[in-house]
Amino acid sequence: MTVNHNDHYHRFLLRKVPPRCRRALDVGCGSGTFARLLARRAEAVDAIDRSAEMIAAARARNTDRITYRVADVQEIELTPGGYDYISCIAAIHHMPFAPTIGRLRAALAPGGVLAVLGLSRPTWTDLAVASVGFVPDQVRKLAGRRRGVPAEPPPPIMDPDLTLAEIRAQARDLLPGAVIRRHVYWRYSMVYRLSA
């Protein structure tokens, strides 16, 4: 049984969904876990992933108000201002950072929110913060085994090439005012709201 560290942050990301969210986009949706939660808060969700295997796993579950597509966000057409909320969970490091963030920002509606949960190249600071999560991580794994959490297909894995400092530097120009925080479980969050 594999524990998905991203699941730990779903509630945090859902709190960033604006009220009256008409349309949302989940980039790198994997097996659709977050897209299904997002569909409870948005009228419609577009969920995309480059992996056909992950999209097949997502479609095998409830798909009310969700449109799943095998697609690369760098190649598909995104309607300017078309989304009230865009999530990108553990996927941005699989893509060129600046061009992808630029495309996602352009797809935000006025007042829309871009919420990224990402991985950065570890530094000594990251390792110190990760050590804080070691015991809770072991508890989560044990609890998952006891609950018999069903196995899902493993997502594609890629090591991140940008440190958090490099991400912050690029985001200053791309997403002025974005709130970027380091988290346990080897993650950071970046939340940006486009002015209305």
Side-chain angles (χ1 to χ4, degrees):
M1 196 277 313
T2 302
V3 171
N4 188 331
H5 292 104
N6 302 321
D7 296 354
H8 179 75
Y9 295 102
H10 286 175
R11 274 186 259 158
F12 166 79
L13 296 167
L14 288 170
R15 286 195 300 268
K16 307 303 179 188
V17 177
R20 296 176 300 283
C21 181
R22 295 178 321 275
R23 195 165 170 217
L25 172 65
D26 188 19
V27 177
C29 68
S31 60
T33 303
F34 186 72
R36 289 188 294 279
L37 296 172
L38 189 52
R40 297 176 189 169
R41 306 228 176 165
E43 293 174 20
V45 176
D46 294 331
I48 62 172
D49 200 291
R50 292 187 298 199
S51 166
E53 183 181 19
M54 297 308 284
I55 291 294
R59 285 180 178 150
R61 293 174 174 84
N62 182 7
T63 60
D64 290 345
R65 296 196 311 227
I66 308 171
T67 302
Y68 290 107
R69 276 174 64 192
V70 177
D72 186 330
V73 73
Q74 300 169 87
E75 297 173 1
I76 62 171
E77 185 175 336
L78 296 175
T79 305
Y83 293 100
D84 298 304
Y85 182 82
I86 299 174
S87 56
C88 186
I89 301 176
I92 195 72
H93 67 284
H94 289 258
M95 309 167 222
F97 184 82
T100 305
I101 291 296
R103 294 197 83 223
L104 296 179
R105 181 181 183 213
L108 283 176
V113 173
L114 170 61
V116 173
L117 182 71
L119 287 84
S120 57
R121 192 175 77 226
T123 62
W124 287 110
T125 303
D126 296 304
L127 295 175
V129 171
S131 69
V132 171
F134 178 78
V135 171
D137 187 41
Q138 298 308 306
V139 170
R140 288 180 75 232
K141 287 177 182 175
L142 179 61
R145 279 194 291 272
R146 286 192 175 158
R147 283 193 318 264
V149 176
E152 295 184 342
I157 294 175
M158 180 177 179
D159 290 331
D161 59 353
L162 296 177
T163 65
L164 189 54
E166 293 167 331
I167 290 164
R168 285 182 197 276
Q170 291 191 38
R172 261 193 292 279
D173 294 328
L174 296 165
L175 303 173
V179 176
I180 302 173
R181 293 196 173 108
R182 186 188 316 268
H183 297 279
V184 295
Y185 301 135
W186 308 274
R187 302 293 187 270
Y188 73 89
S189 62
M190 179 169 61
V191 179
Y192 171 77
R193 183 182 298 273
L194 184 65
S195 57

